[in-house]
Amino acid sequence: MFTGAVGPLGIGIATLWLSLIVLLPLAALAFHSVSDGLGTFVDAITAPAALATLRITVVVSLVVAAINAVMGTVIAWVLVRDEFPGKKFVNALIDLPFALPTIVASIVLLSLYGPQSPIGVQLNATEPGLVVALAFVTLPFVVRSVQPVLIEADREVEEAAASLGAGNFTIFRTVVLPVLAPAVLGGTGLAFARAIGEYGSIVLIGGNIPYKTQVASQYIQQQIEIDRPVNAAAVSVALLVIAFVVLFVLRLVANRGLRREEDDR
């Protein structure tokens, strides 16, 4: 009888592929970052310029993730629950940042929000410009995480709550949001992880100004160009740790929410 299990061979193949594609490169990066000693690693990530770029990267990425958590959920709700002309076009448009080279996004954003802005809004070389660029490339993560959950959600519970006199906000807060929360958190975590490592979409509009708009990916490239690969590797490891911790915490919170929902049923 088919049980759906892949067996030892499938597990071995998956483990081997994961090791070759993910684990070995990460291990090589971590080893290279401490190749000159742990003291050099600490000095590299605590240098004023490195701390500044990490702060800018994390703060801007958190802002972008929070924006996408709200707007991505709203867009997913509209695409699932509402009907309007051009809905299929909009639904396809959501995936455009996945297919579009991010450097193209930076060129477009610079044309729209740069010194020659046709709408009179100049955001280049500013943190709001970074937020706009990163929001563009990370939007699909929340939308595509929330959409399937909304499609599968039991609307009879919402209708029952409405028949008992509950308002739209109360229904969303008490009935819909607990169901969506794990998906929203998962998509938000992915958006954050993508944002802290993004380079192409901010390379032009960001300005790469140290202590102001220089993000970690640009700092890493700068360190490589001036022949400091160990410093570049150290900051890269710091980014990996930050991303992993955020994703791990959000996954724990999401799993706890799922268990609580199952216990309530």
Side-chain angles (χ1 to χ4, degrees):
M1 181 181 293
F2 180 72
T3 62
V6 296
L9 179 60
I11 295 174
I13 293 174
T15 302
L16 176 62
W17 184 251
L18 182 65
S19 299
L20 291 174
I21 300 299
V22 180
L23 297 181
L24 285 179
L26 292 183
L29 177 65
F31 177 79
H32 187 55
S33 68
V34 295
S35 59
D36 289 346
L38 189 59
T40 302
F41 173 85
V42 173
D43 291 340
I45 62 175
T46 57
L51 289 177
T53 196
L54 287 172
R55 178 190 60 80
I56 293 169
T57 304
V58 172
V59 170
V60 171
S61 298
L62 286 173
V63 171
V64 169
I67 292 173
N68 276 330
V70 176
M71 298 310 301
T73 302
V74 171
I75 293 173
W77 181 279
V78 170
L79 290 175
V80 173
R81 296 295 178 88
D82 294 321
E83 295 295 334
F84 55 90
K87 178 178 177 179
K88 292 183 179 179
F89 174 77
V90 174
N91 203 23
L93 195 64
I94 297 298
D95 293 325
L96 188 60
F98 285 147
L100 187 70
T102 52
I103 186 64
V104 175
S106 191
I107 294 174
V108 172
L109 292 172
L110 184 64
S111 300
L112 185 61
Y113 300 116
Q116 306 299 323
S117 172
I119 60 175
V121 178
Q122 185 172 334
L123 297 179
N124 67 300
T126 65
E127 290 190 358
L130 295 177
V131 171
V132 171
L134 294 177
F136 172 81
V137 298
T138 59
L139 174 64
F141 290 102
V142 177
V143 177
R144 294 313 187 204
S145 296
V146 173
Q147 264 186 306
V149 180
L150 273 174
I151 293 173
E152 297 296 330
D154 186 1
R155 300 188 65 174
E156 293 182 358
V157 179
E158 300 173 40
E159 294 170 357
S163 66
L164 294 174
N168 290 335
F169 179 75
T170 301
I171 294 174
F172 180 81
R173 179 175 57 84
T174 60
V175 178
V176 179
L177 188 58
V179 176
L180 295 183
V184 173
L185 288 174
T188 301
L190 292 175
F192 174 83
R194 170 65 186 274
I196 66 170
E198 177 59 25
Y199 177 80
S201 64
I202 47 86
V203 67
L204 297 178
I205 194 171
N208 194 19
I209 303 174
Y211 299 95
K212 185 178 179 182
T213 63
Q214 186 182 62
V215 297
S217 57
Q218 294 173 310
Y219 179 82
I220 291 168
Q221 183 193 35
Q222 181 189 68
Q223 294 302 299
I224 293 174
E225 290 176 346
I226 61 176
D227 197 25
R228 294 180 180 174
V230 174
N231 288 9
V235 175
S236 299
V237 170
L239 279 183
L240 287 172
V241 171
I242 292 170
F244 178 79
V245 170
V246 171
L247 290 173
F248 183 73
V249 170
L250 289 178
R251 181 58 59 88
L252 287 179
V253 174
N255 289 340
R256 184 174 301 176
L258 287 173
R259 288 196 297 268
R260 187 181 298 114
E261 181 184 345
E262 293 174 354
D263 293 339
D264 293 339
R265 291 178 178 176

